[in-house]
Amino acid sequence: MDFQVVFERELHITQGDTERVGVLRISCDNDTAAGFCRCMFSIPVIQEQMRPSYGDDMLQALVLALRSIRSQIEGAEERGIVIWWAEPGDRGAL
């Protein structure tokens, strides 16, 4: 069975004195013909283009996408970009 699921989360992005809101998007689908699952994700400000994460099943693809997103958010913090969801410092709650 081929299907798709999309997750979105509104995030706050602070860089210096500037704050804005953007949407984290994760779109996951499985391709039974190809034999793998894929999640495509974009992160406001730091990863605007959709980037893939692949797994043997949907859960593995999603977990790998979330790990990559978390890593990129941590790297952005080192460059002075703070990304948060509920409160500053929560790194998007990921």
Side-chain angles (χ1 to χ4, degrees), residues 1-91:
M1 168 192 289
D2 293 339
F3 62 92
Q4 181 178 27
V5 62
V6 177
F7 302 97
E8 293 184 340
R9 175 171 282 175
E10 193 171 273
L11 297 175
H12 302 270
I13 301 102
T14 306
Q15 188 171 15
D17 294 335
T18 305
E19 183 175 324
R20 63 176 260 201
V21 175
V23 177
L24 165 69
R25 286 188 178 83
I26 306 171
S27 174
C28 299
D29 59 60
N30 72 333
D31 186 340
T32 53
F36 64 84
C37 295
R38 173 184 66 186
C39 289
M40 300 290 290
F41 62 89
S42 65
I43 311 165
V45 177
I46 58 174
Q47 179 65 48
E48 298 283 348
Q49 299 291 342
M50 295 295 275
R51 181 175 170 177
S53 174
Y54 299 97
D56 293 331
D57 63 11
M58 189 73 70
L59 182 58
Q60 183 182 39
L62 179 59
V63 167
L64 293 172
L66 292 171
R67 285 181 183 163
S68 182
I69 293 165
R70 174 71 180 216
S71 177
Q72 289 188 46
I73 290 173
E74 290 170 351
E77 283 184 351
E78 294 173 4
R79 298 186 309 273
I81 302 169
V82 180
I83 298 176
W84 53 281
W85 177 52
E87 59 186 49
D90 70 10
R91 294 180 173 157

